Amino acid sequence: MAWTRFGKKKDMPGGLWIKCESCGGMLFRKEFEQKHRVCGSCGYHFTLPGRERIALTADPGSFEEMFQPLMPVDRLGFNDKVPYDQKLKLTQEKTGETDALIAGTATIKGIPCMLAVMNFQFLGGSMGMVVGEKVARAAEHAAARKLPLILFACSGGARMHEGAVSLMQMAKTCGALALMHRAGGFSISVMTHPTTGGVTASFASVCDLLLAEPGALIGFAGPRVIATTIKKELPKGFQRSEFLLEKGQIDRIVQRAQMRDELARFLAYGTGRDPVAAFKPAPQATHEPIEVPPAPVEEKPKRGKKSKKE
Amino acid sequence: MSEAAPRSPVPDALAFERPLLELEQKIKELRSLASGTHLELAEEITSLEDRLRRQTAEVYSQLSPWERVNVARHAERPLTSDYVQMMLDDFVELHGDRVFGDDRAILTGLATMGSQRFLLVGHRKGKTVKDRLACNFGCAHPEGYRKALQKMRLAEKLKLPIVTFINTPGAYPGIGAEERGQAAAIARNIMEMFEIKVPIVCIVIGEGGSGGALGIGVGDRIGVLENAYYSVISPEGCAAILWKNGDKAPEAAEALKLTGKDLLRLGLIDKVIDEPLGGAHRDARGTVDRVKAQIVEWLTELGQVPVEQLLEQRYVKFRGMGVPLGA
């Protein structure tokens, strides 16, 4: 998953600066985090960790997590270099999460909903049995309680370590969404960078509304696989949100800064409330102005450095 | 993904077949010798045949998962078109997705098999080079999945059950496929197959390649042929990503637990359908007959189930796949 970073800390004092992976500009960490990991100069949307997404989306204190005890099991005894169960333990310790999806109930500008958010930090947001089970439970719970469901997708696809079990999560989640559709439930999928493979080819694509953050990579096959298969260079902007919008694949592109207001507006339309009131930006919490020191000058990469390697 | 292995009469991955092929050749030669010269070779032939049977049984009972993957890809393995030809009394092909085109990588049509009538949906790989190209080696585009769905809705209306034959390396990864919504087409099929109010039987006859397979793979009964595989990713792809080396495909095949036996143990399929001795490519007729018998059994069984119960059971079936701890 080389195409996604959370904004790597540069080897600079205290990791104060982050280099934008799109425009290469230097971003002051504090300011970058206040802007919810969007580049101040080019608008590039970095991948947002799951908990930050919930904090940004739900009303403060409204999120109540559900299905938390669900834990992944290594059914295959999968072992590439590190045994899967060991990999799981390490990742759980590192992230403090049990798996790659966090679900629960919340309100967004006062409107109750079911919220399920994928966490890319957990094994590339890959979908295994826990992600599948939580999406299914979220959809079932939403259908039973007549709550709208919002799914934030962010995933490299199915989790290979769970083999065909992970493949079948595509069926499990789609089956649950079928059930929700039949019950008349309202579902919104927000595809964020990146959303590919088995997640795009299942629940993320079968909701009532398909939204995407700007510049997100969204597709079935990864760009490298396609380029290798067709032995051609891919067109510029291929598989990005804007490309999908142009090809008629998604309903809307929504900036991260507006996401909460837009979601509230849609929830209002879906639940018989006033969309105008819901869309009105809430009074902004006033931030202390951040003093940005001058950006450090980057060393230019030395030429011919690669060729010396024998 | 790694490049396909260079084509030779017996690819390295099928090296285990070489002694069997040599024996088969020897028997063939002896037979022609016997018929040409009136030499009394019957005894020798019988003993060689015995040896061949024993050796074949031994080799095939010990295949590694990677070897099985290669049997599933064997050039002479019966394809959807063979089943159509050998199994059905009538078949009317129906073309096109009514929107974009007619994807030859998926075949759809109305079928009669004895007293059974159903819609057949199957991946098509093609026999000749020209055919294979036309069918894109069994890699469907979105229009293929949309065609399948449109015909499945027709079957539902006509109250005809659905039989799907899965045999694809995967859905096609290309520019056009992405532009036209490959992921969405597969997702829609998977979701809508939960809603289709007729029995659905799915048989993996060769390669069950990931989402491209599942796109016609949601059903009430799932059968996998003995030497077929069903996997979340190709062994080559998995090896390239996790081992950073496409040559580690045999290790990946082992780790992915993609054979029928493994899938049955994992509770993901209903049955492993035995193949004739030495694999489906040695006996197409025998393979087709076994698949046919299985389809008849399942369709008869499912025909008794009230629609509502059928749909509920279909959901419960997939809902129970991969149960996490604490569920």
Side-chain angles (χ1 to χ4, degrees), chain B residues 191-222:
Chain B
M191 185 175 79
E192 296 215 8
M193 286 180 88
F194 279 101
E195 301 281 291
I196 287 177
K197 297 183 184 71
V198 289
I200 305 176
V201 166
C202 309
I203 314 276
V204 184
I205 59 168
E207 296 189 84
S210 191
L214 193 60
I216 58 167
V218 174
D220 305 298
R221 294 287 184 276
I222 320 289

Side-chain angles (χ1 to χ4, degrees), chain A residues 70-71 76 78 81 129 133 137 140 158 163 166 169 171-172 174-176 181-182 201-202 219-221 239 243 249, chain B residues 173 178-183 187 191 194-195 214 232 242 255-257 263 268 315 318-319 321-322 324-325 327:
Chain A
L70 296 176
M71 296 283 270
L76 271 53
F78 197 96
K81 281 171 208 126
M129 58 177 80
E133 183 73 20
R137 287 193 184 196
E140 287 167 350
S166 71
Q169 303 313 305
K172 189 195 272 185
C174 284
H181 283 305
R182 212 181 320 145
S202 66
F220 176 66
Q239 291 184 311
F243 171 90
Q249 307 287 340
Chain B
E178 296 287 328
E179 279 180 346
R180 301 193 290 279
Q182 184 73 289
M191 185 175 79
F194 279 101
E195 301 281 291
L214 193 60
V232 66
L242 291 183
L256 284 166
K257 301 283 181 284
L263 299 163
L268 306 179
Y315 181 53
F318 285 89
R319 186 69 184 77
M321 291 184 186
L325 213 66

Side-chain angles (χ1 to χ4, degrees), chain B residues 217-287:
Chain B
V218 174
D220 305 298
R221 294 287 184 276
I222 320 289
V224 173
L225 275 175
E226 190 184 350
N227 296 309
Y229 77 90
Y230 202 170
S231 180
V232 66
I233 185 170
S234 72
E236 292 93 331
C238 180
I241 297 171
L242 291 183
W243 277 263
K244 317 265 180 247
N245 179 358
D247 294 341
K248 297 280 181 196
E251 283 88 336
E254 179 88 43
L256 284 166
K257 301 283 181 284
L258 42 63
T259 67
K261 230 181 178 174
D262 289 321
L263 299 163
L264 191 65
R265 187 179 54 80
L266 291 166
L268 306 179
I269 61 167
D270 295 284
K271 191 167 179 180
V272 180
I273 303 168
D274 285 338
E275 291 180 21
L277 185 66
H281 56 284
R282 282 210 162 67
D283 182 2
R285 178 85 256 169
T287 309

Side-chain angles (χ1 to χ4, degrees), chain B:
Chain B
M1 310 275 154
S2 71
E3 294 286 294
R7 294 250 171 218
S8 64
V10 182
D12 280 345
L14 288 170
F16 60 90
E17 283 253 310
R18 275 187 202 125
L20 307 180
L21 292 171
E22 276 164 25
L23 261 180
E24 280 169 348
Q25 185 60 31
K26 213 168 179 180
I27 293 169
K28 214 169 127 192
E29 279 165 13
L30 279 183
R31 277 224 185 91
S32 80
L33 196 64
S35 70
T37 58
H38 303 287
L39 278 172
E40 203 42 73
L41 294 168
E43 214 168 289
E44 194 164 344
I45 291 173
T46 316
S47 113
L48 274 181
E49 281 174 341
D50 271 353
R51 203 173 118 201
L52 176 63
R53 253 193 303 277
R54 274 198 314 275
Q55 205 165 335
T56 309
E58 200 189 313
V59 165
Y60 267 77
S61 66
Q62 293 168 0
L63 289 187
S64 72
W66 174 242
E67 285 168 336
R68 253 179 239 287
V69 167
N70 284 281
V71 176
R73 293 170 178 170
H74 197 289
E76 282 152 46
R77 192 176 175 83
L79 305 174
T80 296
S81 56
D82 296 302
Y83 288 88
V84 167
Q85 225 168 49
M86 300 169 81
M87 193 178 82
L88 304 177
D89 302 306
D90 185 49
F91 182 70
V92 208
E93 184 176 356
L94 298 171
H95 297 272
D97 71 338
R98 308 275 177 93
V99 179
F100 181 81
D102 183 33
D103 187 348
R104 294 182 54 80
I106 290 184
L107 172 74
T108 56
L110 301 172
T112 300
M113 186 173 81
S115 61
Q116 304 274 3
R117 286 179 290 280
F118 52 83
L119 174 83
L120 180 91
V121 177
H123 290 111
R124 181 158 51 186
K125 280 188 169 177
K127 287 265 176 198
T128 62
V129 174
K130 200 177 146 205
D131 260 5
R132 283 194 192 124
L133 280 169
C135 298
N136 211 13
F137 306 93
C139 299
H141 280 73
E143 47 274 20
Y145 294 102
R146 290 183 180 126
K147 168 166 86 170
L149 183 59
Q150 197 258 332
K151 308 312 173 199
M152 288 194 278
R153 286 295 184 194
L154 171 71
E156 178 182 43
K157 189 174 180 194
L158 301 180
K159 297 194 165 49
L160 294 171
I162 298 164
V163 175
T164 76
F165 283 153
I166 294 166
N167 191 15
T168 179
Y172 190 67
I175 293 178
E178 296 287 328
E179 279 180 346
R180 301 193 290 279
Q182 184 73 289
I186 291 171
R188 177 147 295 273
N189 276 28
I190 296 173
M191 185 175 79
E192 296 215 8
M193 286 180 88
F194 279 101
E195 301 281 291
I196 287 177
K197 297 183 184 71
V198 289
I200 305 176
V201 166
C202 309
I203 314 276
V204 184
I205 59 168
E207 296 189 84
S210 191
L214 193 60
I216 58 167
V218 174
D220 305 298
R221 294 287 184 276
I222 320 289
V224 173
L225 275 175
E226 190 184 350
N227 296 309
Y229 77 90
Y230 202 170
S231 180
V232 66
I233 185 170
S234 72
E236 292 93 331
C238 180
I241 297 171
L242 291 183
W243 277 263
K244 317 265 180 247
N245 179 358
D247 294 341
K248 297 280 181 196
E251 283 88 336
E254 179 88 43
L256 284 166
K257 301 283 181 284
L258 42 63
T259 67
K261 230 181 178 174
D262 289 321
L263 299 163
L264 191 65
R265 187 179 54 80
L266 291 166
L268 306 179
I269 61 167
D270 295 284
K271 191 167 179 180
V272 180
I273 303 168
D274 285 338
E275 291 180 21
L277 185 66
H281 56 284
R282 282 210 162 67
D283 182 2
R285 178 85 256 169
T287 309
V288 171
D289 286 345
R290 287 168 196 224
V291 169
K292 181 177 177 174
Q294 192 58 65
I295 292 171
V296 171
E297 186 193 315
W298 279 342
L299 286 185
T300 311
E301 203 180 298
L302 293 167
Q304 316 289 317
V305 184
V307 170
E308 277 199 11
Q309 201 182 327
L310 190 74
L311 294 193
E312 201 195 313
Q313 284 174 0
R314 195 180 296 161
Y315 181 53
V316 167
K317 178 186 184 67
F318 285 89
R319 186 69 184 77
M321 291 184 186
V323 182
L325 213 66

